[in-house]
Amino acid sequence: MAAEDGGSPGTAGPPLPRVLCDTAELLSLGGDAPAGALWKLAEPGRQLDANVVRLPAGGRVDTHTEPDLDVLLLVLEGAARLDSSDGEHPLSAGVLTWLPHGSTRAVLAGPDGVTYLTVHRRRPGMRIQPPEAADRLRRSLGGDA
């Protein structure tokens, strides 16, 4: 298989499992870790997206609604608060949370910050389409053309 099909680059045959990241090494940076994505799944041919994200103390992911993707969020280190339409939920190391598509949520890092892993289905790439494609989509959704 080619790398684009999920195989190993430059090899033929079925795709092989791979060690991708040592999260213990990422966590060893502690508070010195930069904010944002510390690691991203970037393997060609993948069906998933995954990220290890660090939010500093008081950092937040603003309130948003994800219309299309379910997301798993696993706290690796630190603590945070998940705000959703049913209230506030404390998140600490080891807590695995399901964020179903259509749910509204925000994440607020605790006093020592938080590092977490997210996993979700891979989003399809952006495609350039002719202007009439937008009109067809609006009509199919019941909107005016």
Side-chain angles (χ1 to χ4, degrees), residues 65-71 99-103 105 120-124:
T65 301
E66 170 50 60
D68 301 320
L69 299 175
D70 289 0
V71 177
L99 305 172
H101 69 280
S103 66
R105 62 276 195 138
H120 58 81
R121 186 182 74 236
R122 187 175 182 192
R123 290 184 188 275

Side-chain angles (χ1 to χ4, degrees), residues 35-54:
L38 302 179
W39 173 84
K40 290 182 174 195
L41 182 62
E43 301 305 299
R46 70 190 186 280
Q47 294 179 346
L48 294 174
D49 275 333
N51 302 284
V52 174
V53 176
R54 170 84 181 148

Side-chain angles (χ1 to χ4, degrees), residues 129-145:
Q129 296 188 0
E132 60 271 12
D135 292 337
R136 283 194 307 272
L137 178 60
R138 274 193 224 90
R139 282 193 297 275
S140 73
L141 297 175
D144 295 329

Side-chain angles (χ1 to χ4, degrees), residues 51-141:
N51 302 284
V52 174
V53 176
R54 170 84 181 148
L55 293 179
R60 73 179 287 122
V61 175
D62 286 329
T63 303
H64 65 287
T65 301
E66 170 50 60
D68 301 320
L69 299 175
D70 289 0
V71 177
L72 287 177
L73 184 151
L74 174 63
V75 176
L76 301 173
E77 181 178 66
R81 187 183 78 215
L82 171 67
D83 294 342
S84 68
S85 57
D86 68 339
E88 298 177 355
H89 305 275
L91 303 177
S92 58
V95 172
L96 177 63
T97 305
W98 174 46
L99 305 172
H101 69 280
S103 66
T104 300
R105 62 276 195 138
V107 177
L108 176 63
D112 297 321
V114 66
T115 302
Y116 59 87
L117 168 72
T118 60
V119 180
H120 58 81
R121 186 182 74 236
R122 187 175 182 192
R123 290 184 188 275
M126 302 270 300
R127 296 182 317 188
I128 298 174
Q129 296 188 0
E132 60 271 12
D135 292 337
R136 283 194 307 272
L137 178 60
R138 274 193 224 90
R139 282 193 297 275
S140 73
L141 297 175

